[in-house]
Amino acid sequence: GDSLERVLRSSDLAGAPLPAGDFVRWCRQLIDLLEQLAARPGPVAGAARTAADALRRGVVAQSLSP
């Protein structure tokens, strides 16, 4: 739920700089995986759908727009 700026700054402080483009790419890959899990029947589907929806915001959501 933190801002992109805060996430990137905290990774810098931890000694592992994370470029914004890499963060967005990894979020998109995670959304893809979560959508695959959400499409499968079972107890994980709802949680996967909720997690994917939570990731779709800010620059990540903008990168997913056509």
Side-chain angles (χ1 to χ4, degrees):
D2 286 334
S3 69
L4 176 61
E5 179 184 350
R6 184 173 176 150
V7 171
L8 297 178
R9 191 172 355 118
S10 67
S11 71
D12 283 343
L13 293 174
L18 178 62
D22 286 349
F23 177 81
V24 170
R25 182 172 46 86
W26 292 345
C27 285
R28 291 177 67 168
Q29 289 174 337
L30 183 55
I31 288 169
D32 182 49
L33 173 63
L34 290 167
E35 287 176 341
Q36 291 177 40
L37 292 172
R40 307 269 312 171
V44 175
R49 193 171 300 109
T50 300
D53 290 343
L55 287 168
R56 278 190 207 94
R57 64 187 192 94
V59 295
V60 175
Q62 290 174 356
S63 75
L64 295 170
S65 298

